[in-house]
Amino acid sequence: MNEQRIAILTDTGTNTPADFMAAHDIRAVALRINFSDGTSYRSGEDISAQELVARLSHEVPSTSLPSPEQIREALEQAHADGYERAVFVTVSAGLSATNQTVHMVAEQMEGFPVLVINTRSIGPAAGLVVMAAAQMVEEGVPFEHLERRLDELSRQTRVFFSTKTLTYLRKGGRISEAVYRLGSFLDIKPVITCDKAGYCAVANKARGWKRSLDAQVTLAVKHATTLRGAVRLVVACSEGNDHFDELEAKLRTQLASKGIEVVEPVVRSAISPDLLVHSGPDVVTIGVQPDWH
C-alpha cells in the first residue's frame, strides 16, 4: 500500500501489464465476453487471449462493460483493505460506457472519494495512463492534483494500431463499411488511432501489413515531436505477431534522429481478450506518452 493510501483501479481494456499491476497493487475490473450460447466470461480471468482466439474462427462474440455491482465491490474491497481514496482509470468514454458507470458508482460511495479518469484511449496507451497514475501516487502527488494532471496526460497520450483482418473492426463499428470494402479489395491496412474526443479514427491507410506497421512508427514519432521532451513508449502484440524487437528498434532509431529521449524501459504488453474481440487475432499497437515528471 502506498503512503497516501490511494488505491488505483482500472478495467481490463487498458491492457496494463500484469507484472506492473501486481507490483503496484492495481486492481482491474474485467469486461465481459459473451457468446451466443449464453456463456459469459470475465476477460483475462475466465477466458485467456489464447482461448478467445481459438473460438473466433467459429464465432465473434460481443463484449459488455463491468456491472455496477462489480465496480462497487472492487471499490469497497479497496476501502476494506485500508485504502482511503481511489483513482479509477478507464478506457475512452467514447468507446465504452465503463467510464460513465464508474462515475455513477463513485458518486454513491460514502466516505471513500473516487477520481474517475477518462483516458480518451484504449488498450496499452490507456495502460500508460494507469501506470502513470500509480507512479504519481507513489511519488507523492497530492490527491487534489491528480485529476488535472492525469486528464492533461490522457489528452497527450496517443495510440496507433493495425490489424491484418478488418472484419472485426467493421463488426464493432470501429471503421466504416467504405473503409472495410476498400481495405479488403486493395489490401489496405488502416492505422487506427483515438481522436481528441476518444473515438476511433483512421490515421493512415497503408497498402499491406508491413507498410501498415511502418506507418504506425511514423505516426508515433510524429506525435512524439509535438510533445517537447522525453517520451514513454509501449509496444503491444497479440500472440503470434511478435514485432516487439522490430518496432522498438525502429522507434528508438527514428526518435534518436530527432533528438528525442526514450524513458526506460519501453513497455511490452500483450492484448487482452476483450480487445481481441474488436480487433481480431492479429493486432499490433504502439502507444506514446510524454514524460510527466
Side-chain angles (χ1 to χ4, degrees):
M1 181 182 298
N2 54 65
E3 292 184 3
Q4 296 199 76
R5 296 189 177 182
I6 300 173
I8 306 296
L9 297 93
T10 188
D11 60 75
T12 52
T14 66
N15 272 206
T16 310
D19 56 349
F20 187 92
M21 293 180 66
H24 299 267
D25 193 27
I26 298 171
R27 289 106 187 278
V29 178
L31 280 74
R32 300 197 73 89
I33 297 172
N34 311 303
F35 288 88
S36 60
D37 63 3
T39 56
S40 181
Y41 304 90
R42 292 170 296 178
S43 177
E45 296 180 22
D46 303 326
I47 188 169
S48 67
Q50 186 176 19
E51 291 168 333
L52 184 280
V53 169
R55 295 186 64 170
L56 281 179
S57 59
H58 303 289
E59 178 186 353
V60 181
S62 62
T63 59
S64 57
L65 61 152
S67 68
E69 292 74 22
Q70 285 177 280
I71 295 167
R72 174 178 286 278
E73 287 174 7
L75 290 170
E76 289 178 342
Q77 185 62 58
H79 195 188
D81 290 341
Y83 288 103
E84 298 175 353
R85 295 167 289 186
V87 178
F88 203 122
V89 184
T90 76
V91 295
S92 173
L95 299 175
S96 170
T98 302
N99 184 271
Q100 180 182 357
T101 305
V102 174
H103 266 293
M104 179 186 70
V105 174
E107 290 171 358
Q108 298 170 356
M109 298 294 294
E110 295 183 3
F112 191 62
V114 181
L115 291 179
V116 185
I117 304 299
N118 173 17
T119 62
R120 296 176 179 80
S121 190
I122 196 166
L128 286 177
V129 180
V130 178
M131 296 171 73
Q135 292 167 329
M136 285 183 187
V137 166
E138 291 170 5
E139 293 183 16
V141 176
F143 186 73
E144 57 270 21
H145 295 171
L146 287 171
E147 185 171 19
R148 177 186 59 81
R149 290 194 61 176
L150 289 170
D151 182 68
E152 180 181 352
L153 189 64
S154 295
R155 293 176 185 275
Q156 295 178 305
T157 302
R158 294 290 299 278
V159 63
F160 302 99
F161 68 91
S162 303
T163 182
K164 289 182 180 179
T165 306
L166 303 182
T167 304
Y168 304 91
L169 290 174
R170 177 67 189 107
K171 180 177 174 62
R174 303 301 192 244
I175 59 173
S176 68
E177 182 68 22
V179 171
Y180 168 71
R181 290 183 178 277
L182 181 67
S184 300
F185 182 69
L186 298 177
D187 193 31
I188 300 296
K189 307 297 183 189
V191 178
I192 310 297
T193 189
C194 287
D195 62 21
K196 292 181 179 180
Y199 294 93
C200 282
V202 177
N204 184 279
K205 297 176 184 177
R207 176 70 70 85
W209 179 239
K210 183 180 184 303
R211 290 181 179 177
S212 184
L213 296 180
D214 288 341
Q216 280 192 59
V217 174
T218 299
L219 289 164
V221 171
K222 182 178 179 180
H223 179 63
T225 62
T226 70
L227 300 177
R228 300 179 182 178
V231 296
R232 296 171 183 263
L233 300 172
V234 59
V235 176
C237 302
S238 57
E239 187 173 344
N241 289 277
D242 188 351
H243 296 281
F244 291 108
D245 292 342
E246 171 194 351
L247 294 181
E248 181 176 336
K250 288 181 178 180
L251 285 164
R252 287 183 180 279
T253 298
Q254 293 189 31
L255 288 168
S257 72
K258 296 182 180 298
I260 298 174
E261 179 185 353
V262 175
V263 177
E264 301 296 345
V266 173
V267 179
R268 295 188 174 193
S269 174
I271 305 292
S272 66
D274 49 273
L275 290 184
L276 290 173
V277 170
H278 298 289
S279 65
D282 301 299
V283 61
V284 174
T285 300
I286 295 173
V288 186
Q289 181 183 79
D291 183 19
W292 46 267
H293 282 98

